[in-house]
Amino acid sequence: LILREFVEHLQTNRAGATQRDIDRTTAAWVVEDVSKLPEELRCCCVCLEDVSKGQQVRTLPCLHTFHAGCAEEWLKKKKLCPLCQFAIDGDSSDAAVAALEESSAAP
């Protein structure tokens, strides 16, 4: 019960990234040739859609890449990579909170 209350407190008091944070800590670029992308970067794991030529994508500090819009929307809610939970600002407390959230969600 105490752990659940702690997680709820952290969820309500944790802010996502600002657009300035996102621009400062990630890299936006346009895909010119999808065939040159590694297989794991050819699909956005946020929306599950394929990445196409001409689309803008965003690479996080952990080197995971997503559609730019998907990444920005996600990061404005949580400062963590949606795939590996790495904090874009290097603050490991966000990753710890994510781990607590996952463990408290288990029955």
Side-chain angles (χ1 to χ4, degrees), residues 49-62:
E49 297 287 330
D50 288 336
V51 172
S52 303
K53 178 181 178 177
Q55 287 186 315
Q56 187 171 32
V57 294
R58 192 169 283 278
T59 301
L60 280 52
C62 57

Side-chain angles (χ1 to χ4, degrees), residues 57-106:
V57 294
R58 192 169 283 278
T59 301
L60 280 52
C62 57
L63 302 181
H64 288 123
T65 300
F66 313 93
H67 289 122
C70 294
E72 290 165 11
E73 185 177 340
W74 179 276
L75 293 171
K76 286 177 181 177
K77 295 175 185 171
K78 293 184 176 186
K79 296 181 190 180
L80 305 173
C81 171
L83 201 54
C84 71
Q85 303 297 305
F86 183 85
I88 64 164
D89 59 3
D91 183 359
S92 61
S93 66
D94 280 338
V97 169
L100 280 172
E101 288 172 355
E102 288 178 16
S103 67
S104 69

Side-chain angles (χ1 to χ4, degrees), residues 5-75:
E5 289 174 0
F6 177 66
V7 169
E8 287 172 6
H9 168 75
L10 291 174
Q11 287 175 328
T12 57
N13 293 308
R14 179 182 54 193
T18 63
Q19 187 63 47
R20 183 171 182 254
D21 292 336
I22 295 169
D23 291 339
R24 187 175 47 83
T25 59
T26 67
W29 51 282
V30 175
V31 176
E32 294 181 16
D33 186 354
V34 176
S35 67
K36 291 183 179 179
L37 290 174
E39 188 68 34
E40 64 271 10
L41 298 183
R42 294 182 188 181
C43 180
C44 174
C45 78
V46 175
C47 69
L48 302 178
E49 297 287 330
D50 288 336
V51 172
S52 303
K53 178 181 178 177
Q55 287 186 315
Q56 187 171 32
V57 294
R58 192 169 283 278
T59 301
L60 280 52
C62 57
L63 302 181
H64 288 123
T65 300
F66 313 93
H67 289 122
C70 294
E72 290 165 11
E73 185 177 340
W74 179 276
L75 293 171

